[in-house]
Amino acid sequence: MTDALRWGILATGGIAHMFTSDLVANGFTVQAVGSRSQESADAFAAEFDIPHAHADYAALAADPEVDIIYVSTPHPFHAEHATLALNAGKHVLVEKPFTINAQEAEAVIRLAREKNLLVMEAMWTRWLPHMVRIREIIAAGTLGDVRTLIADHTQDLPDDPGHRLNDLALGGGALLDLGIYPISFSFDLFGEPETVQAVATFKETGADAQVATLFRYPGDQVASTLSASDTAGPNTAMVLGTDARIEIDGVWYSPTTFRVVKPDGEVLESFTAEVTGRGMQFQAAEAEWLIAAGRISGDVLSTDETLAIMRTLDTIRDQIGLRYPGE
């Protein structure tokens, strides 16, 4: 394996374009792309000057010049395509949500461990500069006892029944597409919740339109999240502590600014950072660092935590009555 890992991009949709753009802009090596058609693969390869374009995913997985594969197909195919890559001896970065349910997640993680390969959920927000700084502030005790998270991910997205976001067969809906962000943030702060309460509304297709959750933790912390695909909200977040709070500006899960504010309104810190592109390159850097260190799971987002997040998503779906075809 070369010092600079050679990336393969599995699928050529919108998220793959954003990720690959960030990789190329920040000097990563993108060696190959795989699509369901040669035409799509060729177009993607031409756009980003990628050496190899494969007409199917199996050919990408078999490419000897690829070290790590980024899986960006719709949610119900994550497990299948991560398994394909792992069985071909490739490390894997899998778009969030990691899989469609915890059972699939457990199988993928078990296979990665058997193969001694990295598998990591592409929750890119975890590695953004403002999130790194927020963890430092909390660890330093600046907020006192951290008690509460309040976060929303609310967008006015297409109502077209044929759109992927409204198609249950493709894992569409607010929870897995949008809710994964604030729910993952709650895990970052507090870990796995002790109790979960969830309510939802639905579209005519059966896809969830709004999902509100309330988590309680053994230390009496609480987290409140709202995800919605039919209403646009502020997309802000607040972390409340006994001595201060953090106010994260919209869009909180993308590169943004925040303030640390005391109860009397005094601003202790205002944070800003320059980020090239969307900021998806930081998760790639983490994956490359872990592999260079001989590790197959990280500390910022371990495979154990990813599995716990999937279990909580399953619990939420049980409570709101949301099932996907084939389950």
Side-chain angles (χ1 to χ4, degrees):
M1 185 177 294
T2 58
D3 290 336
L5 294 187
R6 299 164 297 182
W7 287 81
I9 309 299
L10 194 152
T12 56
I15 193 73
H17 276 82
M18 289 186 282
F19 178 67
T20 305
S21 178
D22 280 354
L23 289 188
V24 171
N26 288 277
F28 290 81
T29 301
V30 183
Q31 190 70 16
V33 59
S35 184
R36 290 176 297 176
S37 73
Q38 191 67 58
E39 181 182 13
S40 176
D42 287 343
F44 194 95
E47 180 179 351
F48 295 108
D49 196 23
I50 299 172
H52 299 160
H54 299 288
D56 61 71
Y57 302 144
L60 172 68
D63 190 328
E65 295 186 24
V66 169
D67 304 308
I68 180 168
I69 289 178
Y70 168 68
V71 173
S72 64
T73 43
H75 320 324
F77 306 106
H78 286 180
E80 174 188 346
H81 294 143
T83 298
L84 176 69
L86 290 167
N87 279 328
K90 313 300 187 187
H91 302 284
V92 186
L93 179 66
V94 186
E95 254 311 322
K96 76 287 167 259
F98 189 71
T99 52
I100 207 76
N101 55 43
Q103 183 178 5
E104 287 187 351
E106 190 170 16
V108 170
I109 291 167
R110 186 187 314 116
L111 178 62
R113 290 172 178 169
E114 290 171 358
K115 300 282 187 180
N116 197 35
L117 293 166
L118 176 82
V119 65
M120 190 174 101
E121 182 181 7
M123 177 43 72
W124 57 289
T125 301
R126 289 281 181 109
W127 293 275
L128 292 175
H130 71 287
M131 285 296 178
V132 174
R133 179 62 187 143
I134 285 170
R135 286 194 291 271
E136 291 172 348
I137 290 167
I138 291 171
T142 305
L143 303 189
D145 292 332
V146 180
R147 310 303 301 161
T148 309
L149 168 67
I150 304 168
D152 81 300
H153 188 177
T154 47
Q155 299 186 34
D156 188 9
L157 299 173
D159 283 327
D160 175 10
H163 194 286
R164 182 193 69 78
L165 290 164
N166 303 314
D167 187 349
L168 282 182
L170 295 178
L175 180 64
L176 294 194
D177 269 285
L178 308 178
I180 182 65
Y181 283 91
I183 289 169
S184 183
F185 190 15
S186 74
F187 271 79
D188 196 12
L189 291 178
F190 302 132
E192 189 168 5
E194 185 176 57
T195 63
V196 174
Q197 295 173 271
V199 295
T201 62
F202 294 87
K203 294 188 174 182
E204 291 183 2
T205 63
D208 47 307
Q210 297 182 93
V211 181
T213 70
L214 185 63
F215 301 154
R216 180 170 174 168
Y217 300 86
D220 285 344
Q221 299 94 349
V222 296
S224 173
T225 81
L226 173 65
S227 56
S229 63
D230 60 356
T231 50
N235 292 299
T236 56
M238 287 193 295
V239 181
L240 309 181
T242 53
D243 295 339
R245 67 183 181 270
I246 298 175
E247 301 173 349
I248 313 174
D249 297 316
V251 172
W252 69 264
Y253 53 83
S254 296
T256 190
T257 53
F258 70 79
R259 291 160 305 285
V260 182
V261 185
K262 293 181 66 174
D264 63 5
E266 179 188 354
V267 177
L268 298 177
E269 178 178 340
S270 294
F271 178 90
T272 186
E274 293 295 325
V275 174
T276 300
R278 194 169 187 245
M280 301 183 81
Q281 67 273 18
F282 297 109
Q283 63 183 349
E286 171 77 356
E288 292 201 7
W289 179 85
L290 288 169
I291 291 166
R295 299 179 59 180
I296 61 171
S297 181
D299 299 320
V300 175
L301 179 56
S302 69
T303 49
D304 285 341
E305 185 176 358
T306 286
L307 181 56
I309 291 169
M310 291 309 309
R311 285 196 299 262
T312 295
L313 292 173
D314 285 357
T315 298
I316 293 167
R317 291 202 294 118
D318 284 344
Q319 290 189 11
I320 65 177
L322 175 60
R323 293 185 66 81
Y324 300 111
E327 286 192 303

